[in-house]
């Protein structure tokens, strides 16, 4: 890390914090522009100069990056043109270099030296700017793609949205999720896969673009929520993950993506998707101890993971926590009852799982101990398809902000209206229920049409799997292009969301 650089002349009320993550042959540069003036800067261009052979790699993020010789220019992105009075924006890009990597010593904002003193540039409107948006870089999904490291702005660099902007602040009221005004909010949206596997496989952070256009495409379907799957090893930064995609770099990329979603009015649902723990029993997804597949239950690292996630997002109740993607202790334990005990209590209640299990009561306690009151979603047994005893075994929560999470596909056991009526309806009569994943493997939408109709009748939310350009004949994929072009399967969700507003 290097310290902030400053200019020699004092003409603009701003400072620039410059920091790097350097791996020897390349580095990530983050520039945080701080507007210390009393008025907003609407439309911004930052310029600075390197003294070595640092060369821009890729397109960067949170701004339009370019380089001419040793001179670097960063221009505001279309979705974040303003820097409000007293606010900051952060942009980043990757560079290659050899030899020395000295930090730049001067910066200019809109052509004026940026040192922290002097008047705000003339012509800047006095209207307050919207909070800065942090969008991390995209990474190619192809295994053959370059594995050059990429990162996003540090978690502390993004301003929290002001009241009344961005995604709604949520809490539980009776059987509904409601916003700060007490108005019910029904979550309709998509899952955005990639952040659970790209990092641990060594390819980057994201499978496809996560820029303003990508967000606009999701919103064009009238979605109001995006589920963001996380990888436990990448978040914590264990040794099996490439350093450039692990720990602080991964956390910053996720923070940037989540902030961009919520600033755009989309409710982010962050969830532990792949976790650590060696399991080779019934329905094992892999024999690897690392977070490279779906495990039956969260392991010991889930406690520090959720403590860190809660600390990262406990300043905003716009973010929903989904504690574990798809539990299946019913496959590892001797009975369904024992599976539910394992689900809630972990530890010795899970004799069929060889690693130390963190039960959901422990994880709820972990999140609440940080002071975070964010809404928490909890999926049931059978890969979140079985909610039959969810009410009996639900953890206690001092905030009352628990939501039942349900996943359903055409090949699941509970995939008929009669099952919905007998097992889901009683749960939805007592707590909010959100279908975190709905889908079918037929590349059509007849099944989800039936699911959505049942959920709509009860004002229950749902999110389609998945907003990725995969072959929908081999699994549920909503789009064939990140501009929002729908597959035959995805067209069912898209047309339905547009129809209901």
């Amino acid at each position: 890390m290097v310290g902030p650089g400053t200019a020699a002349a004092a003409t603009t009320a701003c400072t620039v914090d410059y920091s790097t993550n350097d791996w020897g042959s390349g580095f990530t540069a983050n520039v945080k522009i701080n507007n210390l003036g009393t008025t907003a800067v609407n439309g911004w261009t930052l310029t600075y100069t390197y003294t070595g052979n640092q060369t821009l790699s890729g397109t960067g993020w949170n701004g339009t990056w370019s380089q001419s010789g040793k001179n670097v220019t960063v221009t505001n992105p279309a979705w974040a043109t303003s820097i409000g009075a007293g606010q900051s924006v952060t942009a980043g890009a990757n560079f290659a270099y050899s030899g020395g990597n000295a930090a730049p010593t001067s910066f200019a904002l809109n052509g004026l030296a940026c040192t922290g003193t002097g008047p705000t540039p003339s012509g800047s409107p006095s209207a307050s700017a919207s909070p800065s948006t942090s969008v991390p870089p995209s990474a190619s999904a192809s295994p053959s793609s370059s594995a050059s490291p990429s990162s996003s702005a540090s978690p502390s660099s993004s301003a929290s949205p002001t009241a009344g902007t961005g995604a709604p602040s949520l809490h539980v009221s009776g059987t509904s999720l409601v916003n700060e005004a007490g108005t019910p909010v029904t979550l309709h949206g998509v899952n955005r896969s990639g952040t659970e596997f790209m990092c641990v496989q060594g390819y980057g952070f994201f499978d496809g673009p996560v820029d303003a256009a990508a967000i606009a495409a999701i919103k064009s379907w009238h979605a109001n929520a995006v589920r963001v799957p996380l990888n436990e090893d990448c978040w914590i930064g264990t040794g099996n993950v490439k350093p450039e995609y692990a720990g602080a770099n991964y956390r910053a990329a996720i923070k940037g993506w989540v902030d961009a979603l919520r600033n755009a009015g989309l409710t982010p649902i962050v969830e532990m998707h792949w976790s650590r723990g060696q399991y080779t029993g019934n329905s094992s997804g892999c024999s690897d101890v690392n977070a490279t597949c779906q495990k039956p239950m969260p392991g010991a690292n889930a406690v520090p993971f959720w403590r860190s996630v809660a600390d990262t997002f406990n300043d905003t109740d716009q973010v929903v926590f989904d504690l574990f993607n798809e539990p299946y202790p019913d496959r590892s334990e001797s009975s369904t009852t024992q599976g539910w005990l394992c689900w809630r209590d972990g530890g010795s209640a899970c004799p069929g799982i060889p690693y130390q299990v963190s039960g959901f009561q422990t994880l709820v306690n972990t999140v609440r101990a940080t002071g975070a009151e964010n809404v928490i979603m909890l999926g049931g047994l059978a890969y979140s398809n079985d909610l039959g005893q969810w009410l009996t075994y639900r953890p206690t929560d001092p905030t009352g902000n628990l939501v039942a999470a349900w996943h359903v596909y055409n090949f699941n056991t509970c995939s008929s209206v009669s099952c919905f009526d007998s097992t889901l309806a009683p749960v939805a009569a007592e707590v909010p229920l959100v279908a975190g994943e709905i889908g079918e493997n037929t590349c059509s939408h007849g099944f989800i049409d039936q699911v959505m109709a049942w959920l709509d009748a009860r004002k229950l939310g749902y999110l389609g799997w998945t907003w990725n350009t995969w072959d929908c004949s081999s699994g549920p994929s909503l789009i064939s292009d990140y501009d929002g072009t729908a597959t035959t399967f995805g067209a069912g969700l898209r047309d339905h969301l547009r129809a209901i507003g």
Side-chain angles (χ1 to χ4, degrees), residues 50 117-118 130 173 232 320 371 403:
Y50 284 118
T117 58
S130 61
S173 177
E232 183 183 72
V320 173
V403 170

Side-chain angles (χ1 to χ4, degrees), residues 284-492:
S284 170
C286 62
S287 60
D288 191 358
V289 68
N290 299 319
T292 55
C293 71
Q294 179 68 48
K295 306 298 171 66
M297 281 292 289
N301 278 3
V303 171
F305 170 90
W306 275 111
R307 183 183 300 120
S308 176
V309 173
D311 281 337
T312 301
F313 297 113
N314 70 3
D315 63 335
T316 172
D317 48 11
Q318 296 172 314
V319 180
V320 173
F321 298 160
D322 188 346
L323 294 190
F324 193 64
N325 177 42
E326 292 185 339
Y328 58 96
D330 47 303
R331 304 293 180 90
S332 65
E333 305 310 315
S334 58
S335 67
T336 300
T337 297
Q338 190 63 46
W340 280 107
L341 286 168
C342 173
W343 182 89
R344 184 189 63 193
D345 300 335
S348 60
C350 307
I353 301 176
Y355 57 85
Q356 178 66 34
V357 171
S358 295
F360 286 113
Q361 182 65 70
T362 294
L363 297 185
V364 170
N365 294 346
T366 296
V367 169
R368 298 306 182 217
T370 69
E373 297 186 354
N374 303 61
V375 170
I376 290 176
M377 292 171 57
L378 294 174
L381 302 189
Y383 302 92
S384 294
N385 183 243
D386 177 10
L387 300 184
Q389 297 185 57
W390 193 96
L391 293 173
T392 301
Y393 290 94
R394 61 176 158 174
T396 59
D397 176 18
T399 73
N401 281 327
L402 292 187
V403 170
W406 179 56
H407 293 186
V408 65
Y409 294 88
N410 58 309
F411 47 81
N412 286 145
T413 300
C414 188
S415 57
S416 65
V417 170
S418 61
C419 185
F420 305 164
D421 289 340
S422 63
T423 64
L424 297 185
V427 177
E430 292 198 30
V431 297
L433 187 151
V434 175
E437 294 181 17
I438 64 171
E440 57 189 285
N441 59 0
T442 62
C443 207
S444 59
H445 54 82
F447 174 73
I448 66 164
D449 289 347
Q450 182 184 52
V451 171
M452 292 187 292
W454 191 92
L455 294 168
D456 285 343
R458 293 154 182 81
K459 296 182 172 59
L460 304 176
Y462 44 86
L463 294 88
W465 182 274
T466 172
W467 190 271
N468 296 77
T469 56
W470 304 338
D471 183 358
C472 70
S473 64
S474 59
S477 179
L478 295 166
I479 55 172
S480 58
D481 191 286
Y482 285 102
D483 65 2
T485 301
T487 61
T488 305
F489 161 65

Side-chain angles (χ1 to χ4, degrees), residues 31 175 185 378 432:
V31 289
T175 60
V185 175
L378 294 174

